[in-house]
Amino acid sequence: MKNVFILALLALSVLSTGNLAAQTKKRYPKTACLVADRNDTILKQVYFQNVSNNYKRNEIIKNHSKATPADFVITAKTAGFYKIYSFKPFGIPSTVYIQSGDSVTYKNNGNNGLTFTGKNAAHYNFFNELFKNGNTYPDYNEKEELHQYKVTCAEILKHRIAFLDDYAKKHKVSSEFYNAVKTDLEFGFIGQILNKFTIPDNAIKNNPKVLDGISFKTFNLQKNVPVSYNFYWALSNYVRSYSIINEPSENYSNNKLKFRISVINKNLKGDLREFALTETFEDYETHLKPENISAIKECLTATLTSIKDPAYKQGLEKKLKKLLQLSADLPQEVLDAQLLDTEGNLLAVKDILKNQVNSIKVLDFWASWCGPCIAGMKETHALREKITSERQVAFIYISTDKNLDQWKKKVAELSALGINKNHYRLTEESHKLFSKFFLIESIPKYVVLTPANKVYLNTVPAPGSTDFENVLQSASK
């Protein structure tokens, strides 16, 4: 999903290599850097991200000028795992491991990806080589026993580590690289077999032995190896799976929330504890039920007093703000805010809502450049039409586009497919107001309003999901 905040990053000024290098030295130590190949005329825009957890992501987009492809130097603050890929043309993401003092040159490889050269080139190209000939995990099949799926994935992990061993013999790699990558592969395996997006709750509950060989100690012992996204991903999935197996109530119940918090506080410390707590509330926000709101508010308020890391604290404070908005009337400034319709008219939000009297409103925030937004509209169009015709539900499409012509062009394309009702675009003023009030951090984003125009839920699962249907049923009561 493309993050709305990526747009803000595009405002980075285009500077010369020398000027940027000078600014970089002033901002933070030059641990390592990535530089565009001077002869690469294909790359126009690249995306760079440190591969940690979702709350501590440092992202940057670099635009390469036509005159000087090497305009930008990307500085890596610390050694560890990074992800980089071409945005224009859009390419396959590459994960690279960078050590202190590395100077990495990247260029388009002519096959939707990037190739890297430099002092430790073998480090940078390892993951590209690993996945060149497969070595990928299969999707979980619900007809398959989870234990057997674990066996299958364990065999692939064995092949991955064997590839790493062979790679280390053929290329010049450091022990630091070898240990970090081996650890990353092992945690990637744990995250895969417990993946909350692909492994049903019942499959985990009915197969408690899937956790054999994994414990909280598995995560607490990782102190001298750079932790990667896979590490945090595995921890998040382990905590959730442990709770499913060891607490008997239905998932996302109040009892299970309190159990998860208790388990985390007992078994984890420092950064791991604060990450796991933040992930727990993220999980409950995604599966929010009206009957849980009071308990979540209480637990979240109590948890916030012990969170020290600003990244986690900020994330939790935003979640609490969302909860406090629920069942509240839309403030007058939001009702008075103006949106642009497809005819070029400015309409107040209160007037738009009047046209949908007595209906539950689903606010669908999207943009013409957002692939998942467009795909979601097309894939669920028939369902949305069915919901609209059979129940008192109205979908209101609100674009965050800054480019008027691109919005109109995309609306015309959608209208030709039958998605032609209730299209509006935020103005510069209403964009700021809506982003702040509805806490729009990424799109697509769905908000549900009651027939009385109160905020029922500020973050709703995508149309077509079971959770979305449950929200509509609850809101109609």
Side-chain angles (χ1 to χ4, degrees), residues 358-396:
N358 298 325
S359 295
I360 293 171
K361 292 91 173 172
V362 180
L363 308 185
D364 184 338
F365 292 94
W366 69 289
S368 61
W369 48 261
C370 174
C373 301
I374 308 302
M377 288 184 198
K378 293 178 178 179
E379 291 170 5
T380 62
H381 173 53
L383 174 64
R384 296 182 190 214
E385 288 289 291
K386 185 174 186 294
I387 291 173
T388 301
S389 63
E390 295 180 357
R391 296 147 77 173
Q392 291 280 63
V393 176
F395 287 86
I396 300 176

Side-chain angles (χ1 to χ4, degrees), residues 345-476:
N345 302 308
L346 286 172
L347 302 176
V349 171
K350 59 188 175 186
D351 294 326
I352 294 172
L353 297 178
K354 283 180 183 177
N355 295 330
Q356 310 296 339
V357 67
N358 298 325
S359 295
I360 293 171
K361 292 91 173 172
V362 180
L363 308 185
D364 184 338
F365 292 94
W366 69 289
S368 61
W369 48 261
C370 174
C373 301
I374 308 302
M377 288 184 198
K378 293 178 178 179
E379 291 170 5
T380 62
H381 173 53
L383 174 64
R384 296 182 190 214
E385 288 289 291
K386 185 174 186 294
I387 291 173
T388 301
S389 63
E390 295 180 357
R391 296 147 77 173
Q392 291 280 63
V393 176
F395 287 86
I396 300 176
Y397 300 94
I398 303 177
S399 170
T400 64
D401 273 291
K402 292 185 177 181
N403 188 299
L404 178 62
D405 292 335
Q406 288 180 0
W407 170 62
K408 285 186 175 181
K409 182 179 179 181
K410 186 58 66 174
V411 169
E413 293 177 11
L414 294 171
S415 296
L417 299 174
I419 310 171
N420 56 2
K421 299 177 182 178
N422 300 328
H423 279 284
Y424 303 95
R425 173 178 166 271
L426 294 169
T427 65
E428 185 176 349
E429 293 76 14
S430 57
H431 192 292
K432 294 177 182 177
L433 182 60
F434 273 51
S435 295
K436 182 178 180 180
F437 179 76
F438 291 112
L439 297 174
I440 303 174
E441 298 175 340
S442 62
I443 53 174
K445 176 183 173 71
Y446 310 97
V447 175
V448 170
L449 304 180
T450 68
N453 297 329
K454 294 178 182 291
V455 179
Y456 187 72
L457 285 180
N458 199 340
T459 301
V460 181
S465 65
T466 301
D467 287 335
F468 178 79
E469 174 60 27
N470 292 338
V471 168
L472 291 186
Q473 288 184 4
S474 297
S476 62

Side-chain angles (χ1 to χ4, degrees), residues 31-243:
T31 301
C33 65
L34 292 89
V35 188
D37 189 304
R38 292 179 180 276
N39 298 314
D40 190 332
T41 59
I42 299 175
L43 283 178
K44 304 301 179 187
Q45 191 180 78
V46 294
Y47 171 77
F48 180 71
Q49 171 196 40
N50 76 313
V51 189
S52 181
N53 67 60
N54 286 330
Y55 311 100
K56 293 187 175 183
R57 295 193 311 184
N58 291 316
E59 304 168 313
I60 195 168
I61 289 179
K62 295 294 186 183
N63 292 300
H64 295 246
S65 72
K66 294 180 180 179
T68 313
D71 265 6
F72 284 97
V73 175
I74 301 174
T75 300
K77 297 182 183 180
T78 59
F81 293 94
Y82 291 85
K83 186 166 288 186
I84 179 172
Y85 56 95
S86 169
F87 255 15
K88 293 180 182 179
F90 193 79
I92 302 169
S94 295
T95 298
V96 296
Y97 182 80
I98 301 174
Q99 291 185 183
S100 297
D102 280 356
S103 180
V104 187
T105 301
Y106 61 90
K107 66 178 181 179
N108 187 287
N109 63 12
N111 193 29
N112 284 335
L114 299 174
T115 297
F116 306 91
T117 55
K119 176 183 176 182
N120 294 306
H123 294 182
Y124 323 140
N125 291 296
F126 170 77
F127 286 98
N128 286 348
E129 294 297 320
L130 174 64
F131 298 123
K132 185 181 290 184
N133 299 311
N135 279 316
T136 57
Y137 292 117
D139 293 331
Y140 175 71
N141 186 333
E142 293 192 30
K143 295 181 181 179
E144 180 182 18
E145 285 291 329
L146 186 55
H147 171 70
Q148 183 55 47
Y149 182 66
K150 181 179 180 180
V151 171
T152 301
C153 290
E155 190 64 25
I156 293 173
L157 173 63
K158 187 162 70 174
H159 285 303
R160 288 185 173 188
I161 294 177
F163 181 90
L164 172 62
D165 290 338
D166 186 58
Y167 189 88
K169 291 177 182 177
K170 294 179 179 178
H171 301 82
K172 183 181 178 181
V173 301
S174 67
S175 58
E176 178 186 334
F177 164 84
Y178 179 87
N179 293 332
V181 171
K182 184 171 184 290
T183 301
D184 177 72
L185 295 176
E186 291 169 344
F187 282 110
F189 161 74
I190 295 174
Q192 183 68 28
I193 63 172
L194 303 178
N195 190 334
K196 62 183 177 182
F197 295 124
T198 59
I199 311 296
D201 297 349
N202 285 338
I204 293 174
K205 188 173 184 178
N206 295 332
N207 292 272
K209 289 188 176 181
V210 72
L211 296 187
D212 285 358
I214 311 169
S215 69
F216 283 101
K217 287 184 179 179
T218 306
F219 301 92
N220 286 324
L221 292 175
Q222 300 305 314
K223 294 182 179 179
N224 299 318
V225 178
V227 292
S228 65
Y229 181 88
N230 279 335
F231 172 85
Y232 285 105
W233 174 238
L235 176 58
S236 173
N237 284 296
Y238 174 74
V239 171
R240 174 179 173 274
S241 300
Y242 183 91
S243 300

